[in-house]
Amino acid sequence: MEQAGNLPALGLVLFGSAAEAVSGIRGPRRMYDPAGSGAGQEAGADQRGAQRIGVLIRPAKLVAPSGEYLCVLRDASSTGVKVRCFHPLPAQGMVLELGNGDRYEVDRMWEQGDHAGLRFRSPVPLEYLVKETGPYPKRPVRLRMTLPALLVAGRDVVPATVHDLSQQGARIECEQQLALDRRFRLEIRGVAPIEAKVRWRRLPAAGLVFETTFRLEDFARLAFRLQPLPQPPGEDDDNPFVRVIG
């Protein structure tokens, strides 16, 4: 399979008490909060000594009432994260979901250019964000959505429904039993045709793997086009999103 784009390798730089925890040395340091009012700004006295990880490059997704959106974690502390985003973010409360399935309720505190600061509604142990350990294996970020689609192979046209998308593939449902490794052209309205083949099947579900993977930023912008915000960023929704974190 051709790889059109890859994420950089994970890089970690420890600051303040996070570095001290590794070295066994403890002591207060005044650090800025990634979710504060602006990147690089120092927080107040209540944030002194907070653990922080910088140069954390890891894909995740934000779940909102209007859809699921890709982002990249950058700086992180126990109180919030700084993320790179590729489009405006919803104004409502969201859920940050990591690659291992862990979910944390967050509020958007600031947004500047292609970065935003998110505050956790409850403090999160920093090691949870760094290690991303959990009962399930880590896998590429998948965005859940429901989209009508067609599978086209020569004269054969099979109606299908896409239920999730990733940079590498999709999970679909259709009434027809699809042959393993059969190649199709996946057609979704508003998206250029995607060459794919059948990787697995469990009727009526099937998994497709794309012949060419999406670059991270291209996939993020595609997801935003497929799930546009229902109103301009900055306006509150009359039906706030509520999700219980398990």
Side-chain angles (χ1 to χ4, degrees):
M1 180 188 305
E2 179 184 350
Q3 192 75 14
N6 293 307
L7 278 175
L10 173 65
L12 299 180
V13 179
L14 301 182
F15 296 88
S17 57
E20 292 159 356
V22 174
S23 62
I25 302 173
R26 297 183 178 272
R29 294 278 185 87
R30 184 166 182 164
M31 304 302 300
Y32 85 88
D33 182 0
S37 58
Q41 179 177 341
E42 290 185 339
D46 59 334
Q47 296 296 334
R48 293 179 184 177
Q51 293 185 356
R52 171 187 162 228
I53 292 292
V55 198
L56 178 65
I57 303 174
R58 181 168 294 165
K61 69 178 177 180
L62 291 165
V63 183
S66 52
E68 301 190 349
Y69 306 99
L70 196 65
C71 67
V72 177
L73 301 186
R74 300 307 300 262
D75 294 355
S77 75
S78 59
T79 58
V81 293
K82 176 183 174 183
V83 299
R84 183 187 176 196
C85 42
F86 304 89
H87 48 72
L89 294 180
Q92 310 93 335
M94 297 172 282
V95 169
L96 174 67
E97 184 172 318
L98 306 183
N100 65 350
D102 285 354
R103 299 170 181 168
Y104 306 100
E105 290 183 330
V106 296
D107 292 304
R108 188 190 67 180
M109 303 305 294
W110 59 267
E111 190 170 352
Q112 297 175 358
D114 60 353
H115 289 84
L118 308 176
R119 177 71 54 83
F120 294 127
R121 292 188 178 179
S122 300
V124 176
L126 193 55
E127 58 269 22
Y128 288 9
L129 302 174
V130 176
K131 296 180 181 179
E132 281 196 64
T133 56
Y136 305 106
K138 186 178 175 182
R139 62 184 185 180
V141 175
R142 301 180 181 185
L143 304 182
R144 291 182 290 267
M145 57 185 77
T146 302
L147 302 168
L150 295 175
L151 299 176
V152 181
R155 295 184 178 180
D156 293 339
V157 179
V158 180
T161 300
V162 173
H163 286 289
D164 72 42
L165 281 174
S166 72
Q167 290 175 257
Q168 296 85 9
R171 180 173 64 88
I172 65 167
E173 285 190 357
C174 66
E175 296 181 357
Q176 182 173 320
Q177 179 82 304
L178 303 176
L180 290 177
D181 294 326
R182 186 177 182 187
R183 298 179 185 276
F184 288 95
R185 187 172 68 250
L186 176 64
E187 296 187 357
I188 303 170
R189 184 176 181 181
V191 180
I194 304 170
E195 300 294 332
K197 66 179 179 180
V198 180
R199 172 60 61 85
W200 58 266
R201 63 187 182 189
R202 287 190 291 273
L203 197 66
L208 304 181
V209 59
F210 299 152
E211 295 293 323
T212 302
T213 62
F214 283 98
R215 295 175 63 247
L216 181 71
E217 50 265 50
D218 292 339
F219 180 61
R221 295 187 177 102
L222 169 63
F224 183 69
R225 291 203 311 271
L226 295 172
Q227 307 168 106
L229 299 182
Q231 53 195 6
E235 296 183 10
D236 291 331
D237 195 306
D238 292 335
N239 299 303
F241 180 62
V242 177
R243 184 167 182 170
V244 177
I245 307 303

